[in-house]
Amino acid sequence: MAKLLRAAVLGPPGSGKGTICKRIAQSFGLQYLSSGHFLREGIAANTEAGMLAKTYIDRGMLVPDQVMTRLMLPKLEQLRNHSWLLDGFPRTLTQAQALNSLFQMDLVISLNIPYETLKDRLSDRWVHPASGRVYNMGFNPPRVQGKDDITGEPLIQHDDDKPEALMARLRHYKELAKPVIDLYKAQGVLHSFSGTETDRIWPYINSLLSTKMHTQPKHIAPLLDRSMNTLANAALLLSHIHMRYRSTNGSPFFSGPTPKTRLAV
Ligand code: G5P
Ligand code: MG
């Protein structure tokens, strides 16, 4: 049986966790679990936990650890025999320790995005309150301005995305995230990426995942199939992959343990 991969993406609000997780899920077929999404589901369904969570989320605060671990850990236990990717969990040392008591993480990606970039992104962010769908007027605008793509209902802007509230949220994030990041650094599974654009960080994360999963991302697989026909094509593909790997190692964005294995071909 292929080795399972337990991975998480950490980062402050607006750092691109959701965007990166969606891309990883699409390229590598990993199940991804977003704590924010589960909370919003609970809110939409009026569950007791959902209603409690709402009182914190509306104030831009973190939901208590006990609520979060009760929400997330049973889902992960159900997926014991699957690889998975976490978006937004764990966010505190208590959550990380609870997760650690059940699973050894293989890969933790930390996104370091400058404050100015986060401020610009979040002040441009509009959400559909009922579903939690998020839009960015520059990066992924709705099809019709001010309206949700699916329901056509109006979009709103959160008060806690305003600059003063945002500054406080980011400071709070940093304080709580530091011991989590230190824990995963000590375990040798932390990989940090810095930058202002998700599209520029993504290729490095893509290469890292390819190495970790010992498999080809979907967009390389068809290329591989075709190139097996002739030796010449196969050689071309290998040199392409070799160049990608070299550029990863020389990346100004990438910091973390040097991958031991080259891209699996
Ligand atoms: P969430 O749902 O986890 P946040 O606030 O941590 O919410 P958010 O908003 O979901 O984080 P993200 O996932 O890091 O942000 O980033 P994203 O959605 O991909 O990108 C943000 C915006 O920027 C989007 O509009 C995107 O399109 C755009 N964007 C991305 N890349 C680029 C780019 O390169 N350029 C540009 N211009 N735009 C870009 O949690 C919600 C709440 O639930 C609670 C907390 O209260 C939290 O605030 N919660 C927890 N509480 C305790 N413990 C936990 N584990 C919790 N998890 C959730
Ligand atoms: Mg998100």
Side-chain angles (χ1 to χ4, degrees), residues 59-124:
R59 286 178 285 155
M61 291 167 68
L62 287 187
V63 174
D65 288 331
Q66 214 190 15
V67 178
M68 292 314 302
T69 50
R70 272 203 207 139
L71 177 72
M72 297 301 290
L73 297 183
K75 293 185 196 298
L76 297 179
E77 286 193 299
Q78 280 170 11
L79 294 172
R80 189 163 272 286
N81 298 322
H82 295 79
S83 294
W84 40 249
L85 171 68
L86 299 172
D87 164 4
F89 181 88
R91 243 178 249 226
T92 65
L93 187 58
T94 306
Q95 292 177 19
Q97 285 166 338
L99 179 61
N100 229 22
S101 67
L102 294 177
F103 299 101
Q104 166 66 48
M105 297 298 283
D106 301 302
L107 172 66
V108 176
I109 290 169
S110 168
L111 301 174
N112 300 323
I113 312 299
Y115 168 75
E116 280 303 318
T117 307
L118 296 175
K119 194 181 78 177
D120 290 347
R121 273 188 205 172
L122 296 182
S123 57
D124 233 9

Short mmCIF file of all heavy atoms in Angstrom, two decimals, residues 59-124:
data_model
loop_
_atom_site.label_atom_id
_atom_site.label_comp_id
_atom_site.label_asym_id
_atom_site.label_seq_id
_atom_site.Cartn_x
_atom_site.Cartn_y
_atom_site.Cartn_z
N ARG A 59 -16.67 37.97 16.02
CA ARG A 59 -15.82 38.96 16.69
C ARG A 59 -14.37 38.86 16.23
O ARG A 59 -13.47 39.47 16.83
CB ARG A 59 -15.91 38.77 18.21
CG ARG A 59 -17.25 39.27 18.78
CD ARG A 59 -17.33 39.03 20.26
NE ARG A 59 -17.56 37.61 20.55
CZ ARG A 59 -17.22 37.02 21.71
NH1 ARG A 59 -16.64 37.71 22.66
NH2 ARG A 59 -17.48 35.74 21.91
N GLY A 60 -14.12 38.05 15.20
CA GLY A 60 -12.75 37.91 14.68
C GLY A 60 -11.85 37.14 15.64
O GLY A 60 -10.63 37.29 15.62
N MET A 61 -12.47 36.32 16.52
CA MET A 61 -11.67 35.57 17.50
C MET A 61 -11.58 34.11 17.10
O MET A 61 -12.41 33.61 16.35
CB MET A 61 -12.35 35.66 18.88
CG MET A 61 -12.30 37.04 19.48
SD MET A 61 -13.43 37.14 20.87
CE MET A 61 -12.61 36.05 22.04
N LEU A 62 -10.59 33.42 17.67
CA LEU A 62 -10.49 31.97 17.44
C LEU A 62 -11.54 31.25 18.26
O LEU A 62 -11.85 31.64 19.39
CB LEU A 62 -9.11 31.46 17.84
CG LEU A 62 -7.95 31.82 16.92
CD1 LEU A 62 -6.69 31.09 17.36
CD2 LEU A 62 -8.26 31.51 15.46
N VAL A 63 -12.06 30.18 17.68
CA VAL A 63 -13.02 29.32 18.37
C VAL A 63 -12.22 28.51 19.42
O VAL A 63 -11.07 28.12 19.15
CB VAL A 63 -13.71 28.41 17.33
CG1 VAL A 63 -14.62 27.39 17.98
CG2 VAL A 63 -14.48 29.27 16.32
N PRO A 64 -12.77 28.26 20.63
CA PRO A 64 -11.98 27.57 21.67
C PRO A 64 -11.43 26.22 21.19
O PRO A 64 -12.07 25.51 20.40
CB PRO A 64 -13.00 27.38 22.81
CG PRO A 64 -14.04 28.43 22.59
CD PRO A 64 -14.10 28.66 21.12
N ASP A 65 -10.27 25.89 21.74
CA ASP A 65 -9.56 24.67 21.32
C ASP A 65 -10.43 23.42 21.46
O ASP A 65 -10.42 22.55 20.59
CB ASP A 65 -8.30 24.48 22.18
CG ASP A 65 -7.23 25.50 21.80
OD1 ASP A 65 -7.20 25.93 20.63
OD2 ASP A 65 -6.44 25.86 22.69
N GLN A 66 -11.16 23.35 22.57
CA GLN A 66 -11.95 22.13 22.82
C GLN A 66 -13.01 21.92 21.72
O GLN A 66 -13.25 20.79 21.28
CB GLN A 66 -12.62 22.26 24.17
CG GLN A 66 -12.72 20.95 24.87
CD GLN A 66 -13.60 21.05 26.10
OE1 GLN A 66 -14.33 22.03 26.28
NE2 GLN A 66 -13.53 20.05 26.94
N VAL A 67 -13.62 23.03 21.30
CA VAL A 67 -14.63 22.93 20.23
C VAL A 67 -13.96 22.46 18.95
O VAL A 67 -14.47 21.59 18.22
CB VAL A 67 -15.32 24.31 20.00
CG1 VAL A 67 -16.33 24.25 18.86
CG2 VAL A 67 -15.97 24.80 21.29
N MET A 68 -12.77 23.01 18.69
CA MET A 68 -12.09 22.67 17.44
C MET A 68 -11.61 21.22 17.41
O MET A 68 -11.75 20.54 16.40
CB MET A 68 -10.87 23.61 17.22
CG MET A 68 -11.21 25.03 16.96
SD MET A 68 -12.51 25.30 15.74
CE MET A 68 -11.91 24.51 14.28
N THR A 69 -11.05 20.76 18.52
CA THR A 69 -10.54 19.38 18.51
C THR A 69 -11.71 18.39 18.43
O THR A 69 -11.62 17.39 17.73
CB THR A 69 -9.64 19.09 19.73
OG1 THR A 69 -10.32 19.50 20.89
CG2 THR A 69 -8.32 19.83 19.65
N ARG A 70 -12.81 18.74 19.09
CA ARG A 70 -13.99 17.84 19.02
C ARG A 70 -14.57 17.80 17.61
O ARG A 70 -15.17 16.83 17.19
CB ARG A 70 -15.08 18.35 19.97
CG ARG A 70 -14.91 17.77 21.32
CD ARG A 70 -16.24 17.80 22.07
NE ARG A 70 -15.97 17.87 23.48
CZ ARG A 70 -16.63 18.61 24.34
NH1 ARG A 70 -17.62 19.38 23.94
NH2 ARG A 70 -16.32 18.61 25.61
N LEU A 71 -14.41 18.91 16.89
CA LEU A 71 -14.92 18.98 15.53
C LEU A 71 -14.00 18.23 14.55
O LEU A 71 -14.46 17.48 13.70
CB LEU A 71 -15.01 20.47 15.11
CG LEU A 71 -15.45 20.79 13.69
CD1 LEU A 71 -16.95 20.50 13.54
CD2 LEU A 71 -15.17 22.25 13.35
N MET A 72 -12.68 18.45 14.69
CA MET A 72 -11.75 17.97 13.67
C MET A 72 -11.26 16.53 13.90
O MET A 72 -11.14 15.76 12.94
CB MET A 72 -10.52 18.90 13.59
CG MET A 72 -10.84 20.32 13.18
SD MET A 72 -11.64 20.45 11.56
CE MET A 72 -10.31 20.00 10.44
N LEU A 73 -10.95 16.18 15.13
CA LEU A 73 -10.27 14.89 15.34
C LEU A 73 -11.13 13.68 14.96
O LEU A 73 -10.61 12.75 14.32
CB LEU A 73 -9.73 14.79 16.77
CG LEU A 73 -8.66 15.85 17.12
CD1 LEU A 73 -8.12 15.64 18.52
CD2 LEU A 73 -7.52 15.87 16.12
N PRO A 74 -12.44 13.67 15.28
CA PRO A 74 -13.23 12.50 14.83
C PRO A 74 -13.24 12.36 13.30
O PRO A 74 -13.22 11.24 12.79
CB PRO A 74 -14.64 12.82 15.36
CG PRO A 74 -14.44 13.79 16.47
CD PRO A 74 -13.23 14.59 16.10
N LYS A 75 -13.24 13.49 12.60
CA LYS A 75 -13.24 13.41 11.12
C LYS A 75 -11.93 12.77 10.65
O LYS A 75 -11.91 11.97 9.72
CB LYS A 75 -13.37 14.80 10.51
CG LYS A 75 -14.72 15.45 10.78
CD LYS A 75 -14.85 16.77 10.04
CE LYS A 75 -15.97 17.63 10.55
NZ LYS A 75 -17.31 17.08 10.42
N LEU A 76 -10.83 13.13 11.31
CA LEU A 76 -9.53 12.59 10.90
C LEU A 76 -9.44 11.11 11.27
O LEU A 76 -8.84 10.33 10.52
CB LEU A 76 -8.39 13.38 11.54
CG LEU A 76 -8.34 14.84 11.10
CD1 LEU A 76 -7.21 15.58 11.79
CD2 LEU A 76 -8.18 14.93 9.59
N GLU A 77 -10.02 10.74 12.38
CA GLU A 77 -9.99 9.32 12.75
C GLU A 77 -10.76 8.48 11.74
O GLU A 77 -10.36 7.37 11.41
CB GLU A 77 -10.55 9.13 14.16
CG GLU A 77 -9.52 9.62 15.18
CD GLU A 77 -9.84 9.18 16.59
OE1 GLU A 77 -10.91 9.57 17.08
OE2 GLU A 77 -9.01 8.49 17.19
N GLN A 78 -11.85 9.05 11.22
CA GLN A 78 -12.61 8.33 10.18
C GLN A 78 -11.76 8.14 8.92
O GLN A 78 -12.01 7.25 8.12
CB GLN A 78 -13.86 9.11 9.80
CG GLN A 78 -15.00 8.92 10.77
CD GLN A 78 -16.15 9.90 10.49
OE1 GLN A 78 -16.18 10.57 9.46
NE2 GLN A 78 -17.08 9.98 11.40
N LEU A 79 -10.80 9.05 8.73
CA LEU A 79 -9.97 9.00 7.52
C LEU A 79 -8.60 8.38 7.81
O LEU A 79 -7.62 8.67 7.14
CB LEU A 79 -9.78 10.42 6.95
CG LEU A 79 -11.03 11.09 6.42
CD1 LEU A 79 -10.76 12.55 6.07
CD2 LEU A 79 -11.56 10.35 5.19
N ARG A 80 -8.55 7.56 8.85
CA ARG A 80 -7.30 6.97 9.32
C ARG A 80 -6.52 6.28 8.18
O ARG A 80 -5.30 6.32 8.15
CB ARG A 80 -7.64 5.96 10.43
CG ARG A 80 -6.47 5.41 11.17
CD ARG A 80 -6.90 4.78 12.46
NE ARG A 80 -6.95 5.73 13.56
CZ ARG A 80 -5.89 6.21 14.17
NH1 ARG A 80 -4.70 5.84 13.80
NH2 ARG A 80 -6.01 7.07 15.16
N ASN A 81 -7.23 5.67 7.24
CA ASN A 81 -6.54 4.94 6.17
C ASN A 81 -6.40 5.74 4.88
O ASN A 81 -6.23 5.19 3.81
CB ASN A 81 -7.27 3.62 5.88
CG ASN A 81 -7.28 2.73 7.10
OD1 ASN A 81 -6.28 2.68 7.83
ND2 ASN A 81 -8.40 2.07 7.37
N HIS A 82 -6.53 7.06 5.00
CA HIS A 82 -6.40 7.93 3.82
C HIS A 82 -5.34 8.99 4.06
O HIS A 82 -5.06 9.33 5.21
CB HIS A 82 -7.72 8.66 3.54
CG HIS A 82 -8.84 7.74 3.16
ND1 HIS A 82 -9.55 7.01 4.08
CD2 HIS A 82 -9.35 7.42 1.94
CE1 HIS A 82 -10.46 6.28 3.46
NE2 HIS A 82 -10.35 6.50 2.16
N SER A 83 -4.83 9.51 2.95
CA SER A 83 -3.98 10.71 3.05
C SER A 83 -4.90 11.90 3.19
O SER A 83 -6.02 11.89 2.67
CB SER A 83 -3.16 10.86 1.78
OG SER A 83 -2.24 9.80 1.66
N TRP A 84 -4.44 12.93 3.90
CA TRP A 84 -5.26 14.14 3.99
C TRP A 84 -4.42 15.39 4.15
O TRP A 84 -3.23 15.34 4.47
CB TRP A 84 -6.33 14.06 5.07
CG TRP A 84 -6.01 13.42 6.38
CD1 TRP A 84 -6.50 12.24 6.85
CD2 TRP A 84 -5.14 13.91 7.44
NE1 TRP A 84 -6.01 11.97 8.11
CE2 TRP A 84 -5.18 12.97 8.49
CE3 TRP A 84 -4.34 15.04 7.59
CZ2 TRP A 84 -4.45 13.13 9.67
CZ3 TRP A 84 -3.61 15.20 8.76
CH2 TRP A 84 -3.68 14.26 9.79
N LEU A 85 -5.12 16.50 3.94
CA LEU A 85 -4.48 17.82 3.98
C LEU A 85 -5.39 18.73 4.80
O LEU A 85 -6.59 18.80 4.54
CB LEU A 85 -4.40 18.33 2.54
CG LEU A 85 -3.98 19.76 2.30
CD1 LEU A 85 -2.51 19.94 2.68
CD2 LEU A 85 -4.16 20.11 0.82
N LEU A 86 -4.81 19.39 5.80
CA LEU A 86 -5.62 20.26 6.67
C LEU A 86 -5.42 21.73 6.30
O LEU A 86 -4.29 22.17 6.10
CB LEU A 86 -5.21 20.05 8.13
CG LEU A 86 -5.40 18.64 8.68
CD1 LEU A 86 -4.77 18.51 10.06
CD2 LEU A 86 -6.89 18.33 8.73
N ASP A 87 -6.52 22.46 6.26
CA ASP A 87 -6.49 23.90 5.98
C ASP A 87 -7.01 24.63 7.22
O ASP A 87 -8.19 24.54 7.54
CB ASP A 87 -7.39 24.16 4.75
CG ASP A 87 -7.77 25.63 4.57
OD1 ASP A 87 -7.30 26.49 5.34
OD2 ASP A 87 -8.56 25.91 3.64
N GLY A 88 -6.11 25.32 7.93
CA GLY A 88 -6.55 26.13 9.07
C GLY A 88 -6.59 25.41 10.40
O GLY A 88 -7.06 25.97 11.39
N PHE A 89 -6.14 24.19 10.46
CA PHE A 89 -6.06 23.41 11.69
C PHE A 89 -4.77 22.61 11.64
O PHE A 89 -4.49 22.01 10.61
CB PHE A 89 -7.26 22.46 11.81
CG PHE A 89 -7.27 21.63 13.07
CD1 PHE A 89 -7.87 22.11 14.23
CD2 PHE A 89 -6.66 20.38 13.11
CE1 PHE A 89 -7.88 21.36 15.40
CE2 PHE A 89 -6.67 19.62 14.27
CZ PHE A 89 -7.28 20.11 15.42
N PRO A 90 -3.94 22.59 12.70
CA PRO A 90 -4.13 23.24 13.99
C PRO A 90 -3.70 24.71 13.95
O PRO A 90 -2.88 25.10 13.13
CB PRO A 90 -3.19 22.45 14.90
CG PRO A 90 -2.08 22.02 13.99
CD PRO A 90 -2.71 21.77 12.66
N ARG A 91 -4.27 25.50 14.85
CA ARG A 91 -3.94 26.92 14.89
C ARG A 91 -3.30 27.32 16.22
O ARG A 91 -2.83 28.45 16.36
CB ARG A 91 -5.21 27.74 14.71
CG ARG A 91 -5.15 28.57 13.45
CD ARG A 91 -6.44 29.32 13.28
NE ARG A 91 -7.13 28.77 12.14
CZ ARG A 91 -7.69 29.49 11.19
NH1 ARG A 91 -7.68 30.79 11.26
NH2 ARG A 91 -8.29 28.93 10.18
N THR A 92 -3.36 26.43 17.21
CA THR A 92 -2.74 26.72 18.51
C THR A 92 -1.93 25.51 18.94
O THR A 92 -2.12 24.40 18.39
CB THR A 92 -3.82 26.97 19.59
OG1 THR A 92 -4.54 25.75 19.77
CG2 THR A 92 -4.78 28.08 19.22
N LEU A 93 -1.06 25.72 19.93
CA LEU A 93 -0.24 24.60 20.41
C LEU A 93 -1.12 23.49 20.98
O LEU A 93 -0.85 22.30 20.76
CB LEU A 93 0.75 25.11 21.47
CG LEU A 93 1.78 24.08 21.94
CD1 LEU A 93 2.60 23.54 20.78
CD2 LEU A 93 2.69 24.67 23.02
N THR A 94 -2.18 23.87 21.68
CA THR A 94 -3.08 22.83 22.26
C THR A 94 -3.67 21.97 21.14
O THR A 94 -3.74 20.74 21.25
CB THR A 94 -4.21 23.51 23.07
OG1 THR A 94 -3.61 24.37 24.02
CG2 THR A 94 -5.11 22.52 23.75
N GLN A 95 -4.10 22.61 20.07
CA GLN A 95 -4.67 21.86 18.93
C GLN A 95 -3.60 20.96 18.30
O GLN A 95 -3.86 19.80 17.97
CB GLN A 95 -5.23 22.81 17.87
CG GLN A 95 -6.44 23.59 18.33
CD GLN A 95 -6.95 24.59 17.28
OE1 GLN A 95 -6.65 24.49 16.10
NE2 GLN A 95 -7.74 25.54 17.73
N ALA A 96 -2.39 21.50 18.16
CA ALA A 96 -1.30 20.73 17.52
C ALA A 96 -0.95 19.52 18.39
O ALA A 96 -0.70 18.43 17.86
CB ALA A 96 -0.08 21.62 17.30
N GLN A 97 -0.93 19.72 19.70
CA GLN A 97 -0.60 18.59 20.58
C GLN A 97 -1.69 17.52 20.54
O GLN A 97 -1.39 16.33 20.55
CB GLN A 97 -0.37 19.09 22.01
CG GLN A 97 0.97 19.81 22.14
CD GLN A 97 1.10 20.61 23.42
OE1 GLN A 97 0.09 20.98 24.03
NE2 GLN A 97 2.32 20.90 23.82
N ALA A 98 -2.95 17.96 20.48
CA ALA A 98 -4.05 16.98 20.39
C ALA A 98 -3.94 16.19 19.09
O ALA A 98 -4.12 14.96 19.08
CB ALA A 98 -5.39 17.70 20.47
N LEU A 99 -3.62 16.87 18.01
CA LEU A 99 -3.45 16.19 16.72
C LEU A 99 -2.27 15.23 16.77
O LEU A 99 -2.34 14.09 16.30
CB LEU A 99 -3.23 17.27 15.63
CG LEU A 99 -3.01 16.79 14.20
CD1 LEU A 99 -4.22 16.02 13.69
CD2 LEU A 99 -2.72 17.98 13.28
N ASN A 100 -1.19 15.70 17.38
CA ASN A 100 0.04 14.91 17.52
C ASN A 100 -0.17 13.61 18.29
O ASN A 100 0.50 12.62 18.04
CB ASN A 100 1.03 15.76 18.33
CG ASN A 100 2.37 15.80 17.65
OD1 ASN A 100 2.46 15.57 16.45
ND2 ASN A 100 3.41 16.05 18.43
N SER A 101 -1.13 13.65 19.23
CA SER A 101 -1.34 12.45 20.03
C SER A 101 -2.00 11.35 19.20
O SER A 101 -2.01 10.19 19.59
CB SER A 101 -2.18 12.78 21.27
OG SER A 101 -3.49 13.14 20.85
N LEU A 102 -2.57 11.72 18.05
CA LEU A 102 -3.22 10.71 17.19
C LEU A 102 -2.42 10.41 15.92
O LEU A 102 -2.41 9.29 15.44
CB LEU A 102 -4.61 11.20 16.77
CG LEU A 102 -5.64 11.35 17.86
CD1 LEU A 102 -6.93 11.92 17.30
CD2 LEU A 102 -5.93 9.98 18.50
N PHE A 103 -1.79 11.45 15.35
CA PHE A 103 -1.12 11.28 14.07
C PHE A 103 0.24 11.98 14.06
O PHE A 103 0.35 13.10 14.58
CB PHE A 103 -1.96 11.91 12.93
CG PHE A 103 -3.31 11.29 12.77
CD1 PHE A 103 -4.43 11.94 13.28
CD2 PHE A 103 -3.47 10.08 12.13
CE1 PHE A 103 -5.70 11.38 13.15
CE2 PHE A 103 -4.73 9.51 11.99
CZ PHE A 103 -5.85 10.16 12.50
N GLN A 104 1.20 11.34 13.41
CA GLN A 104 2.48 12.00 13.16
C GLN A 104 2.34 12.73 11.81
O GLN A 104 2.01 12.11 10.81
CB GLN A 104 3.58 10.91 13.09
CG GLN A 104 4.90 11.37 12.50
CD GLN A 104 5.60 12.41 13.36
OE1 GLN A 104 5.74 12.24 14.57
NE2 GLN A 104 6.01 13.52 12.74
N MET A 105 2.56 14.03 11.81
CA MET A 105 2.45 14.77 10.56
C MET A 105 3.68 14.51 9.68
O MET A 105 4.79 14.36 10.19
CB MET A 105 2.34 16.28 10.84
CG MET A 105 1.10 16.67 11.60
SD MET A 105 -0.43 16.28 10.73
CE MET A 105 -0.45 17.60 9.52
N ASP A 106 3.45 14.46 8.35
CA ASP A 106 4.56 14.23 7.42
C ASP A 106 5.04 15.53 6.80
O ASP A 106 6.19 15.65 6.40
CB ASP A 106 4.10 13.31 6.27
CG ASP A 106 3.62 11.98 6.80
OD1 ASP A 106 4.42 11.30 7.48
OD2 ASP A 106 2.43 11.64 6.59
N LEU A 107 4.13 16.48 6.68
CA LEU A 107 4.47 17.70 5.94
C LEU A 107 3.61 18.85 6.44
O LEU A 107 2.38 18.73 6.50
CB LEU A 107 4.18 17.46 4.45
CG LEU A 107 4.27 18.63 3.50
CD1 LEU A 107 5.70 19.13 3.42
CD2 LEU A 107 3.81 18.21 2.11
N VAL A 108 4.25 19.95 6.84
CA VAL A 108 3.50 21.14 7.25
C VAL A 108 4.04 22.33 6.45
O VAL A 108 5.24 22.60 6.45
CB VAL A 108 3.63 21.40 8.77
CG1 VAL A 108 2.92 22.69 9.16
CG2 VAL A 108 3.05 20.23 9.56
N ILE A 109 3.14 22.98 5.74
CA ILE A 109 3.51 24.12 4.91
C ILE A 109 3.08 25.38 5.65
O ILE A 109 1.93 25.51 6.06
CB ILE A 109 2.79 24.02 3.55
CG1 ILE A 109 3.37 22.86 2.75
CG2 ILE A 109 2.88 25.33 2.77
CD1 ILE A 109 2.56 22.51 1.51
N SER A 110 4.04 26.30 5.83
CA SER A 110 3.70 27.56 6.50
C SER A 110 3.84 28.69 5.48
O SER A 110 4.86 28.82 4.82
CB SER A 110 4.65 27.75 7.69
OG SER A 110 4.54 29.06 8.17
N LEU A 111 2.78 29.49 5.36
CA LEU A 111 2.79 30.59 4.39
C LEU A 111 3.13 31.89 5.11
O LEU A 111 2.43 32.28 6.06
CB LEU A 111 1.42 30.72 3.72
CG LEU A 111 0.93 29.48 2.96
CD1 LEU A 111 -0.51 29.68 2.46
CD2 LEU A 111 1.85 29.16 1.79
N ASN A 112 4.22 32.54 4.68
CA ASN A 112 4.62 33.83 5.27
C ASN A 112 4.33 34.93 4.26
O ASN A 112 5.06 35.08 3.29
CB ASN A 112 6.12 33.85 5.56
CG ASN A 112 6.50 32.77 6.54
OD1 ASN A 112 5.75 32.48 7.46
ND2 ASN A 112 7.64 32.15 6.31
N ILE A 113 3.26 35.64 4.50
CA ILE A 113 2.84 36.67 3.53
C ILE A 113 2.93 38.03 4.24
O ILE A 113 2.44 38.17 5.36
CB ILE A 113 1.39 36.41 3.07
CG1 ILE A 113 1.18 34.94 2.66
CG2 ILE A 113 0.97 37.36 1.95
CD1 ILE A 113 2.02 34.43 1.52
N PRO A 114 3.58 39.04 3.60
CA PRO A 114 3.74 40.33 4.28
C PRO A 114 2.40 40.96 4.68
O PRO A 114 1.39 40.79 3.98
CB PRO A 114 4.44 41.21 3.23
CG PRO A 114 4.95 40.29 2.19
CD PRO A 114 4.14 39.03 2.25
N TYR A 115 2.44 41.68 5.80
CA TYR A 115 1.22 42.30 6.32
C TYR A 115 0.53 43.18 5.27
O TYR A 115 -0.70 43.12 5.11
CB TYR A 115 1.55 43.13 7.58
CG TYR A 115 0.39 44.01 7.98
CD1 TYR A 115 -0.74 43.45 8.59
CD2 TYR A 115 0.40 45.37 7.71
CE1 TYR A 115 -1.83 44.25 8.91
CE2 TYR A 115 -0.69 46.17 8.03
CZ TYR A 115 -1.79 45.61 8.64
OH TYR A 115 -2.87 46.39 8.95
N GLU A 116 1.32 43.98 4.54
CA GLU A 116 0.72 44.90 3.56
C GLU A 116 -0.10 44.13 2.52
O GLU A 116 -1.17 44.57 2.09
CB GLU A 116 1.81 45.73 2.85
CG GLU A 116 2.32 46.91 3.66
CD GLU A 116 1.20 47.88 4.07
OE1 GLU A 116 0.34 48.16 3.23
OE2 GLU A 116 1.20 48.31 5.24
N THR A 117 0.43 42.97 2.12
CA THR A 117 -0.26 42.14 1.11
C THR A 117 -1.56 41.61 1.69
O THR A 117 -2.61 41.63 1.04
CB THR A 117 0.65 40.96 0.69
OG1 THR A 117 1.90 41.48 0.29
CG2 THR A 117 0.04 40.14 -0.42
N LEU A 118 -1.50 41.13 2.95
CA LEU A 118 -2.71 40.59 3.58
C LEU A 118 -3.76 41.68 3.69
O LEU A 118 -4.95 41.47 3.44
CB LEU A 118 -2.39 40.03 4.96
CG LEU A 118 -1.43 38.83 4.99
CD1 LEU A 118 -1.11 38.46 6.43
CD2 LEU A 118 -2.04 37.65 4.27
N LYS A 119 -3.29 42.87 4.09
CA LYS A 119 -4.22 43.99 4.27
C LYS A 119 -4.93 44.29 2.94
O LYS A 119 -6.15 44.42 2.89
CB LYS A 119 -3.45 45.22 4.76
CG LYS A 119 -4.34 46.31 5.30
CD LYS A 119 -3.54 47.49 5.76
CE LYS A 119 -3.14 48.27 4.53
NZ LYS A 119 -2.40 49.50 4.78
N ASP A 120 -4.13 44.36 1.86
CA ASP A 120 -4.73 44.66 0.55
C ASP A 120 -5.73 43.57 0.15
O ASP A 120 -6.82 43.85 -0.32
CB ASP A 120 -3.65 44.76 -0.54
CG ASP A 120 -2.80 46.00 -0.35
OD1 ASP A 120 -3.20 46.88 0.44
OD2 ASP A 120 -1.72 46.08 -0.97
N ARG A 121 -5.32 42.31 0.35
CA ARG A 121 -6.19 41.19 -0.05
C ARG A 121 -7.49 41.20 0.72
O ARG A 121 -8.57 41.05 0.16
CB ARG A 121 -5.50 39.86 0.24
CG ARG A 121 -4.62 39.42 -0.87
CD ARG A 121 -4.15 38.02 -0.55
NE ARG A 121 -2.91 37.78 -1.23
CZ ARG A 121 -2.16 36.72 -1.05
NH1 ARG A 121 -2.54 35.80 -0.19
NH2 ARG A 121 -1.05 36.56 -1.72
N LEU A 122 -7.38 41.35 2.04
CA LEU A 122 -8.59 41.21 2.85
C LEU A 122 -9.50 42.42 2.73
O LEU A 122 -10.72 42.30 2.83
CB LEU A 122 -8.22 40.94 4.32
CG LEU A 122 -7.49 39.61 4.52
CD1 LEU A 122 -7.19 39.37 5.98
CD2 LEU A 122 -8.29 38.44 3.96
N SER A 123 -8.90 43.59 2.48
CA SER A 123 -9.78 44.74 2.33
C SER A 123 -10.50 44.67 0.98
O SER A 123 -11.46 45.40 0.75
CB SER A 123 -9.01 46.06 2.50
OG SER A 123 -7.96 46.09 1.58
N ASP A 124 -10.01 43.77 0.10
CA ASP A 124 -10.65 43.57 -1.20
C ASP A 124 -11.55 42.33 -1.18
O ASP A 124 -12.00 41.87 -2.20
CB ASP A 124 -9.54 43.31 -2.23
CG ASP A 124 -9.66 44.24 -3.41
OD1 ASP A 124 -10.47 45.16 -3.34
OD2 ASP A 124 -8.94 44.01 -4.41
#
